[in-house]
Amino acid sequence: MTAGVRLVRELGANHAWRLHRGELPDGRPAFVKSGNVSQLFISEAAGLRWLGESRAVAVPEVYDVTDDRLVLEWIEPGDATAEAARRLGGELARMHRAGAEAYGAPWPGFIAELPMPNEPAPTWPEFYAERRLRPFIRTALAAGRLRADDAALLEEVIERLPELAGPPEPPARIHGDLWSGNVLWTPGRAVLVDPAAHGGHRETDLAMLALFGAPHLAAIMEAYQEEHPLTEGWRARVPLHQLHPLLVHVCLFGEAYRGSLLDAAARCLEL
């Protein structure tokens, strides 16, 4: 189907790829990403399909995917409403409860254009330490965006992860990059896009929504709690789950996010 997509309008660039509005041979509109990004589009397509298999959340249909192009259903955006936010809260709870076979995923992981290890780990603290925190600490150190004492502070958190992580939970089916920009609001319902999907901890998605501020976050959380209550102490663990996205931002954008990262690490050690 990719060869039959007509590119209608340039929508700019995002990270290492170009964005277009396209049109399928039957006239349906499509959203097209293109670029020389190796396995990234394959990973995104696999994540969208996996989240969709939960039958809990709305995601765009994957029309076609290759190494250098991803063709998705066009989503016409609308306004965020409290009603749609409440619906999203319940849907996220059901998506998480659909579960995963392990912490990790059977496809290569990416967040933005950065590779993200997805090899399974037996526990969430081990997965978070070895697949999410330490790889990005090394990347940030190599780029000169973290200092040795910054890394030492983060290592303190890692060493205490088994006690900081809260009660053990089974792997949840998570979006993995659920900041507010990856939630498209349509009339009556939210659609999730650009996942870094994997089996992880459900608090990670909710902490990501809070990190940069989601519309009607209180309504999302209220509905989530009604459907699938979080375990005691979840509020105190929000900074722990925000360490990885903040590390990613340090790797991508540098000094502007270093202070927020170190502040979150310090709050983790106060638990």
Side-chain angles (χ1 to χ4, degrees):
M1 185 181 290
T2 298
V5 176
R6 182 171 67 91
L7 300 182
V8 175
R9 187 168 76 250
E10 171 82 31
L11 300 176
N14 189 14
H15 297 288
W17 48 89
R18 307 293 300 177
L19 309 175
H20 289 84
R21 179 170 177 138
E23 186 176 276
L24 302 181
D26 61 8
R28 284 177 295 165
F31 182 68
V32 182
K33 297 182 175 183
S34 60
N36 183 19
V37 292
S38 184
Q39 293 289 301
L40 190 150
F41 293 151
I42 303 294
S43 175
E44 181 177 342
L48 285 170
R49 288 167 171 153
W50 186 63
L51 296 180
E53 286 169 6
S54 73
R55 300 188 180 278
V57 295
V59 295
E61 182 180 350
V62 178
Y63 292 141
D64 198 20
V65 61
T66 66
D67 280 344
D68 59 6
R69 181 176 282 190
L70 177 62
V71 184
L72 301 173
E73 175 187 2
W74 179 268
I75 304 298
E76 196 65 43
D79 295 327
T81 65
E83 180 182 2
R86 281 193 55 82
R87 180 173 180 177
L88 175 61
E91 290 175 340
L92 288 175
R94 292 189 290 276
M95 179 185 79
H96 291 161
R97 201 161 48 206
E101 292 186 2
Y103 297 104
W107 49 79
F110 291 87
I111 189 161
E113 66 265 37
L114 299 177
M116 189 166 66
N118 267 345
E119 292 81 8
T123 67
W124 182 76
E126 183 176 340
F127 178 81
Y128 197 50
E130 302 302 334
R131 309 290 188 263
R132 293 297 178 263
L133 297 182
R134 284 191 170 124
F136 290 88
I137 292 171
R138 290 193 291 268
T139 297
L141 283 170
R145 294 182 167 180
L146 282 182
R147 299 194 297 259
D149 56 339
D150 302 334
L153 178 66
L154 292 165
E155 281 292 335
E156 285 188 58
V157 177
I158 289 172
E159 293 304 316
R160 288 186 54 194
L161 269 175
E163 66 179 275
L164 297 177
E169 293 203 4
R173 186 171 304 221
I174 73 170
H175 179 283
D177 190 13
L178 196 61
W179 73 288
S180 59
N182 286 342
V183 180
L184 298 185
W185 298 94
T186 69
R189 193 176 194 187
V191 179
L192 307 187
V193 300
D194 294 344
H198 62 279
H201 198 301
R202 61 192 179 120
E203 291 175 14
T204 296
D205 274 349
L206 303 175
M208 284 283 285
L209 280 176
L211 183 56
F212 299 115
H216 304 291
L217 181 60
I220 295 171
M221 294 302 303
E222 181 180 32
Y224 188 100
Q225 289 279 52
E226 291 171 2
E227 181 77 27
H228 191 16
L230 295 163
T231 58
E232 184 178 355
W234 70 268
R235 289 181 179 84
R237 292 189 292 271
V238 168
L240 179 66
H241 290 273
Q242 291 177 341
L243 288 180
H244 176 245
L246 287 169
L247 260 171
V248 170
H249 277 69
V250 168
C251 291
L252 290 172
F253 307 114
E255 182 71 20
Y257 290 94
R258 176 176 167 270
S260 297
L261 171 65
L262 299 181
D263 178 66
R267 284 185 286 148
C268 292
L269 294 174
E270 293 171 0
L271 294 179

